[in-house]
């Protein structure tokens, strides 16, 4: 492949952002697909990632900067033109290493290729005006939550909800943390390796890693690409955030047990349960979507796990597949708004609306209620989400306990969590909320219930 066959990095970034906004696609999946395609020059791959994530993360702020230079309003622009201006403004404001003239030149060339002379002239005019006049800062004309929504680039309604749930300081700290780059961590497969052996193997493959801060079997990748490495293909580890790894530790399934994972795809937590069971016993993994079942099977095969049976089943109808009181351990990693993983999927804060989030607790409660029917007396059920909304977390658990007096929160949850989380546990145990700013991990909620 010659250099001239590589795609233009800014044109490709624009195409990705259009698909994300129009189709509701996930940024990380599209970026990975494009990079694996091999048509972005190696020297430009980090720039592509920076442009896409950065522009999406800062959308509110970028629109604030652009608005004064578009007389008819941003809503009047063709979708791709607005995205091109956002992409260019992001470079002008946040990427010092990219010369302003290069940003404007590239934007005009893209506009010429995509549109007509008038559009390229408009794009040139807007960006030249920005360059000549500079931009007003949000602090100068805004106040209250509207100012924070622009400065920290989050929907105003979402910030307000977080303030109501956690207070202003924690809410704003969370929004600021969501603007930082996510950290990559991996969970070693103890059936095939150890932390020390995995560290050495990854180093020999060009990765620099260090021990994780929350999970004993976690490594944080500080340099290099772990995904697709020989170690990954050999099943020595799974890519997973450290907060997510804690779910398996809290559930703590033992060798020989019957375990149910109700919403299992793509299989990260399912395979962790199998590893903790030493691949002995039975894991029933379910997911609503048939096409996602293959992802669970692929992960199990790669890791050399044999105890997982994966089926497409609606988690609200589990008792049509399994007998009541037949499981020793149950994981309900419920479908949620995902607001704990905004750092990895920044489009979530723009794609999901308030009404989308408000319909989720009913679904989560229905799944939790159905799953609870499968648990043996004395068994353990863990409810988890990767969101920080109390309506999807504490309130769901509270309502469930009110309606099911034969279940209680486990008071000894701290025994199965790292000491670093002691200060974040509910005072009488039972559940923990991890906000993104605490340990630079994903935001997560984990509750442990026992059937009396």
């Amino acid at each position: 492949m010659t250099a001239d066959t590589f795609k233009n990095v800014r044109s490709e970034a624009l195409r990705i952002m259009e698909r994300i906004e129009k189709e509701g696609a996930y940024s990380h999946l599209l970026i990975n697909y494009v990079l694996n395609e091999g048509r972005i020059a190696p020297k430009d791959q980090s720039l592509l990632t920076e442009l896409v994530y950065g522009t999406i993360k800062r959308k509110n702020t970028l629109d604030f900067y652009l608005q004064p230079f578009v007389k008819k309003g941003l809503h009047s622009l063709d979708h791709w033109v607005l995205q091109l201006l956002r992409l260019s403004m992001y470079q002008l404001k946040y990427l010092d290493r990219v010369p302003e003239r290069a940003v404007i030149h590239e934007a005009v060339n893209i506009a010429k290729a995509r549109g007509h002379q008038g559009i390229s002239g408009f794009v040139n005019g807007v960006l030249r005006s920005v360059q000549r006049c500079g931009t007003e800062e949000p602090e100068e004309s805004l106040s209250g939550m509207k100012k924070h929504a622009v400065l920290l680039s989050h929907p105003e309604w979402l910030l307000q909800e977080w303030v109501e749930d956690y207070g202003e300081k924690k809410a704003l700290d969370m929004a600021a943390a969501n603007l930082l780059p996510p950290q990559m961590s991996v969970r070693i497969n103890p059936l095939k390796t150890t932390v020390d052996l995995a560290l050495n193997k990854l180093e020999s493959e060009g990765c620099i890693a260090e021990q994780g801060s929350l999970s004993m079997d976690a490594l944080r990748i500080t340099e290099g690409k772990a995904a697709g490495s020989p170690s990954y293909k050999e099943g020595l580890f799974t890519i997973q955030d450290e907060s997510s790894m804690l779910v398996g530790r809290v559930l703590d399934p033992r060798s020989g047990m019957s375990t149910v994972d109700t919403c299992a795809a793509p299989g990260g937590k399912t395979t962790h349960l199998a590893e903790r069971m030493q691949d002995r016993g039975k894991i029933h993994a379910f997911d609503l979507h048939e096409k996602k079942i293959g992802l669970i099977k692929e992960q199990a095969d790669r890791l050399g796990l044999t105890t997982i049976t994966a089926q497409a089943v609606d988690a609200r109808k589990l008792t049509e597949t399994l007998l009541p009181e037949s499981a020793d351990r149950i994981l309900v990693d419920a479908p949620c708004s995902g607001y704990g993983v905004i750092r990895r999927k920044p489009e979530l804060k723009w794609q999901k609306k308030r009404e989308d989030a408000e319909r989720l607790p009913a679904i989560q409660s229905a799944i939790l209620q159905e799953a609870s029917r499968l648990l043996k007396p004395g068994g353990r059920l863990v409810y988890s989400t990767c969101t920080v909304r109390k309506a999807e977390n504490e309130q769901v658990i509270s309502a469930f306990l009110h309606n099911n007096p034969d279940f209680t929160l486990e008071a000894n949850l701290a025994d199965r969590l790292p000491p670093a989380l002691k200060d974040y546990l509910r005072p009488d145990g039972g559940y923990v909320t991890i906000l993104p700013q605490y340990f630079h991990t994903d935001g997560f909620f984990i509750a442990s219930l026992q059937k009396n």
Side-chain angles (χ1 to χ4, degrees):
M1 184 178 292
T2 59
D4 59 0
T5 64
F6 286 125
K7 295 178 181 177
N8 178 284
V9 65
R10 290 170 179 83
S11 294
E12 191 61 26
L14 177 61
R15 188 179 73 86
I16 290 173
M17 289 190 298
E18 283 188 275
R19 288 194 61 191
I20 290 168
E21 191 141 317
K22 284 183 177 179
E23 303 171 16
Y26 286 140
S27 53
H28 69 295
L29 296 179
L30 286 181
I31 289 172
N32 288 341
Y33 176 79
V34 169
L35 295 182
N36 291 335
E37 217 181 6
R39 290 179 59 80
I40 294 293
K43 66 180 180 63
D44 286 333
Q45 290 184 358
S46 61
L47 177 60
L48 176 74
T49 303
E50 172 73 24
L51 290 177
V52 174
Y53 282 136
T55 303
I56 297 171
K57 283 181 180 181
R58 301 277 184 177
K59 187 177 81 166
N60 261 12
T61 318
L62 299 174
D63 285 358
F64 176 84
Y65 290 142
L66 284 168
Q67 184 63 55
F69 301 98
V70 182
K71 292 181 180 179
K72 293 183 179 180
L74 301 183
H75 65 276
S76 68
L77 301 177
D78 285 347
H79 182 264
W80 71 268
V81 176
L82 176 56
Q83 291 285 33
L84 177 59
L85 289 174
R86 286 172 178 162
L87 180 67
S88 304
M89 180 62 82
Y90 178 74
Q91 295 171 80
L92 293 175
K93 292 294 291 186
Y94 297 103
L95 297 187
D96 294 337
R97 66 184 183 272
V98 181
E100 291 185 354
R101 64 181 183 279
V103 172
I104 298 172
H105 177 73
E106 285 284 354
V108 171
N109 283 344
I110 292 171
K112 284 179 181 177
R114 291 283 302 265
H116 50 70
Q117 192 67 35
I119 292 179
S120 64
F122 169 77
V123 168
N124 183 62
V126 169
L127 296 179
R128 292 291 181 192
S129 295
V130 170
Q131 184 184 37
R132 184 174 61 254
C133 302
T135 55
E136 180 186 31
E137 294 304 317
E139 300 96 324
E140 298 169 8
S141 59
L142 300 177
S143 61
M145 202 52 61
K146 190 173 292 294
K147 178 183 73 174
H148 295 310
V150 171
L151 274 173
L152 298 171
S153 208
H154 279 63
E156 189 174 344
W157 74 265
L158 184 59
L159 284 182
Q160 187 59 53
E161 183 177 278
W162 289 350
V163 169
E164 292 168 5
D165 280 351
Y166 298 103
E168 186 170 291
K169 185 181 187 307
K170 283 186 179 179
L172 299 184
D173 285 349
M174 180 153 48
N178 286 339
L179 297 176
L180 300 174
Q183 296 183 330
M184 173 178 272
S185 56
V186 301
R187 183 194 80 234
I188 66 141
N189 180 357
L191 305 182
K192 289 193 172 188
T193 189
T194 65
V195 168
D196 289 339
L197 288 174
L199 274 170
N200 293 334
K201 187 77 158 51
L202 281 166
E203 184 177 348
S204 72
E205 295 167 359
C207 291
I208 298 177
E210 61 187 22
Q211 178 77 53
S213 59
L214 284 183
S215 182
M216 294 171 58
D217 44 9
L219 297 176
R220 286 191 175 184
I221 308 299
T222 58
E223 190 177 318
K225 294 183 179 180
S229 67
S231 294
Y232 177 83
K233 293 175 182 177
E234 292 167 23
L236 301 190
F237 61 80
T238 295
I239 296 171
Q240 187 180 22
D241 184 78
E242 282 197 76
S243 290
S244 178
M245 294 180 204
L246 299 178
V247 174
R249 290 192 167 276
V250 171
L251 188 62
D252 193 26
R254 306 296 176 86
S255 179
M257 282 186 169
S258 175
T259 301
V260 175
D261 188 350
T262 63
C263 311
K269 297 180 186 69
T270 315
T271 54
H272 193 195
L273 301 180
E275 290 166 3
R276 293 190 65 81
M277 292 167 62
Q278 299 176 323
D279 202 29
R280 297 172 188 164
K282 188 69 175 178
I283 296 180
H284 299 276
F286 301 113
D287 197 85
L288 179 61
H289 305 287
E290 180 70 49
K291 64 181 180 181
K292 291 185 177 181
I293 295 302
L295 299 176
I296 303 172
K297 294 177 178 178
E298 286 174 14
Q299 291 300 315
D301 290 343
R302 183 180 64 81
L303 296 165
L305 302 170
T306 61
T307 54
I308 298 169
T309 300
Q311 295 175 261
V313 173
D314 186 334
R316 292 166 291 189
K317 300 177 181 178
L318 294 170
T319 50
E320 295 179 8
T321 302
L322 296 178
L323 293 173
E325 298 190 348
S326 61
D328 300 290
R329 297 282 191 270
I330 297 175
L331 172 59
V332 178
D333 187 49
C336 68
S337 56
Y339 288 135
V341 296
I342 287 176
R343 263 198 290 198
R344 299 184 192 281
K345 302 175 184 177
E347 62 278 0
L348 286 177
K349 60 185 175 181
W350 311 121
Q351 288 176 348
K352 293 183 183 291
K353 308 301 180 186
R354 185 195 293 268
E355 53 269 27
D356 298 325
E358 288 176 345
R359 67 180 177 80
L360 287 166
I363 298 171
Q364 294 157 343
S365 296
I367 293 173
L368 181 56
Q369 187 64 53
E370 177 74 353
S372 71
R373 297 175 63 190
L374 301 179
L375 193 64
K376 295 177 181 178
R380 179 180 296 143
L381 185 155
V382 166
Y383 174 87
S384 65
T385 72
C386 60
T387 193
V388 294
R389 296 186 70 239
K390 290 194 174 184
E392 300 177 51
N393 296 335
E394 289 93 333
Q395 291 175 27
V396 168
I397 292 299
S398 178
F400 175 80
L401 291 173
H402 177 77
N403 294 325
N404 296 271
D406 54 333
F407 278 82
T408 55
L409 285 169
E410 286 198 274
N412 64 341
L413 180 59
D415 296 343
R416 302 192 300 279
L417 287 171
L421 282 173
K422 179 181 178 181
D423 294 337
Y424 303 104
L425 273 167
R426 170 187 161 108
D428 58 351
Y431 59 71
V432 63
T433 300
I434 305 170
L435 301 184
Q437 66 266 35
Y438 290 166
F439 304 100
H440 303 292
T441 62
D442 292 346
F444 237 85
F445 175 82
I446 308 171
S448 185
L449 306 171
Q450 186 167 28
K451 188 172 184 179
N452 301 324

